[in-house]
Every structure is written in C-alpha cells, then in structure tokens.
C-alpha cells in the first residue's frame, strides 16, 4: 500500500496505472474508518483495478467549529486497517495541499439542499462539493463510491457530476448497520454507553414505520416516528422527512409519484446522527 500526501505524486502514480489500462476507483473518506467504509472499499476493489482511499477531514463542510475539532481522528489505526484490507493507495493530503488559497466556489443544488441536512447545516453541501470536485479532478477516478447513509449527500454528488459533465460514475452502496441496527458512523464511538443503547431506537423506529405505510398518512407517520424517538430522554429529533428519492422534495401524500425515503437526524446527547430507510 502506498501512502501519498502530495497531488503531483499521486497524479504521476495514477497516470502510469492508466497507461497500463487499469481502472481507478476512489473512496473519499474523512477517516475514523469502520465497516461501512470497508464495504465501500471492498465494492471498489471488486470493480476497479486500483483502489484509492482518500482521508481528509474537510474543514469547509463543517458549519460548526466545535464539530470540526471534535471529529474523530485515528490516522494510524486507519492506515493499519487499510493495509490489512489490501487497499492500493491512500491519499492523505495536508490542508494546504487541498486548499492552497481560500476556497470561494459556490454551487447551486436547486431544490436538493433546501431541506434536511441542507437546512440544518447551512453551507455543509457547498463544502462537500468543493472537496469532492477537487478530489475528482486530482484522482480522475473511473468510479467513486458513496454510502446511502448520507443519502442527500449521495444525491447531490450525482447532481454535481451531471451538472459539470464530470467523467466519473458514482456508485451508491447500501447502509451498513451494527448487529443491533444502528447505522455505522464515525460518530458512533463518541456516544456514551447509555447514549449508545438509546441510539438503537433510531433504526428500530425506522424499521417500524416501514411496516406502517399502508396504515397511516405521511404526516401521521412522521409524527409517529418523531414521538417514538423522543420518548427516550437521551434522544432529541432534529428533523423527520419523507422525500421522493430523486428530487428530495418532501411528499405529503402516498399517491405522489416516485420511490420514497424516510430521513431523520437525531441528537443523541451532544452527538448528531442521521439515518434513512427506503419506505416505498
Ligand atoms: O461522507 C464523507 O465522509 C464526506 O462528506 C466526504 C464525502 C468524504 C467529503 O469530505
């Protein structure tokens, strides 16, 4: 496994692989790797000749300075895990390499960022778009792999790729859950023991509403989900939304066209977790 910190070096390495006819897959991460990331990496290794994992905690996507400072950092452990899993290249750039000058690019996501994370974390997706487009222009991957846990992020990245005609195919990968159902997240290890127990109520409630779609209207279902979760004193729901999967517009009626997904953000103590489930 090669660990590369500088853009020129990774471009040189990748261009020689490309000349040999190899395909390049990219798994962008912010480190603190878990089995969810490993599932993206394994999918990448199955599809592409060369797997590049980037680790960069992108400051421009944090709308809260404290959240940025508290974000888990485990580079040594991450590198060991990646080596054990036979990843080919880790791209671990210093901040100055990715942002040599102040980043000012502004993206327009239309209606895609008007609700949910876009509403509660202003500027977050602009920061994600800044870093992801930089990574795409440096790595020039054939495929890039993103998890469905961040469903709004995945949809927005697909939209940017279309908007900018970028020559990369986005591969979406399913949510990986702990045995008790909690969606894997780099933030889970920050939970206390009692918060960790409470957090399982989030997937439990999501799985429950999936079974109730023919018994309740959309607003009733959203209220049910919100109340189920907030029954636990460690949990405070930030939003519950049922959206149509392609445009991410909230739906009010089951008859509206398109597949639907329930999305939720919950504060578990001071830690904010998100999750979602396809419901129709
Ligand atoms: O999902 C993440 O970990 C980040 O938002 C990403 C895509 C690596 C960009 O920093």
């Amino acid at each position: 496994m090669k660990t590369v910190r500088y853009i020129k070096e990774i471009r040189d390495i990748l261009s020689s692989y490309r000349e040999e006819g190899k395909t390049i897959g990219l798994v962008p991460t912010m480190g603190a790797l878990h089995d969810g990331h490993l599932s993206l990496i394994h999918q990448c290794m199955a599809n592409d000749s060369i797997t590049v994992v980037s680790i960069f905690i992108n400051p421009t996507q944090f709308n809260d300075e404290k959240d940025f400072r508290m974000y888990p950092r485990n580079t040594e452990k991450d590198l060991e895990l990646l080596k054990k899993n036979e990843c080919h290249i880790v791209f671990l750039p210093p901040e100055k390499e990715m942002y040599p000058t102040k980043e000012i690019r502004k993206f327009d996501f239309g209606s895609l960022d008007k609700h949910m994370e876009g509403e509660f974390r202003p500027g977050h997706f602009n920061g994600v778009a800044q870093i992801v487009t930089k990574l795409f222009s440096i790595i020039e991957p054939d495929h890039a792999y993103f998890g469905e846990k961040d469903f709004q992020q995945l949809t927005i990245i697909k939209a940017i790729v279309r908007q900018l005609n970028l020559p990369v195919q986005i591969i979406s990968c399913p949510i990986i859950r702990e045995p008790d159902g909690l969606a894997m997240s780099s933030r889970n290890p920050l939970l206390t023991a009692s918060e960790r127990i409470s957090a399982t109520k989030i997937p439990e409630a999501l799985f429950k509403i999936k079974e109730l779609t023919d018994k309740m209207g959309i607003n009733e279902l959203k209220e049910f989900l919100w109340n189920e979760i907030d029954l636990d004193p460690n949990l405070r729901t930030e939003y519950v939304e049922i959206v149509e999967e392609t445009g991410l517009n909230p739906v009010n009626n089951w008859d509206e066209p398109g597949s639907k997904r329930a999305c939720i953000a919950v504060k578990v103590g001071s830690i904010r977790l998100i999750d979602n489930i396809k419901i129709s």
Side-chain angles (χ1 to χ4, degrees), residues 27-31 37 40 54-59 61-62 71 99 121 124-125 127-129 131-132 135 145-147 150 153 157 186:
V27 182
T29 81
M30 298 206 297
H37 295 111
L40 304 182
S54 62
I55 301 181
F56 181 70
I57 305 184
N58 173 37
Q61 72 187 72
F62 287 84
Y71 199 83
Y99 294 112
R121 300 183 67 191
H124 168 65
F125 288 121
V128 170
I131 193 64
V132 167
L135 287 168
Y145 298 78
F146 293 89
D150 298 294
Q153 166 173 282
I157 290 169
S186 301

Side-chain angles (χ1 to χ4, degrees), residues 225-280:
L225 175 56
W226 191 296
N227 292 337
E228 273 292 286
I229 288 175
D230 282 12
L231 270 179
D232 187 302
N234 277 333
L235 305 180
R236 190 164 46 79
T237 300
E238 204 167 75
Y239 66 76
V240 163
E241 206 50 89
I242 295 180
V243 295
E244 172 276 310
E245 282 191 337
T246 47
L248 300 185
N249 289 308
V251 284
N252 294 308
N253 195 312
W254 292 122
D255 295 338
E256 289 179 39
S259 304
K260 296 171 187 68
R261 202 166 270 258
C263 302
I264 189 164
V266 179
K267 276 296 232 3
V268 187
S270 62
I271 307 305
R272 188 174 180 281
L273 300 180
I274 59 172
D275 200 349
N276 67 76
I277 194 167
K278 188 180 178 74
I279 51 172
S280 79

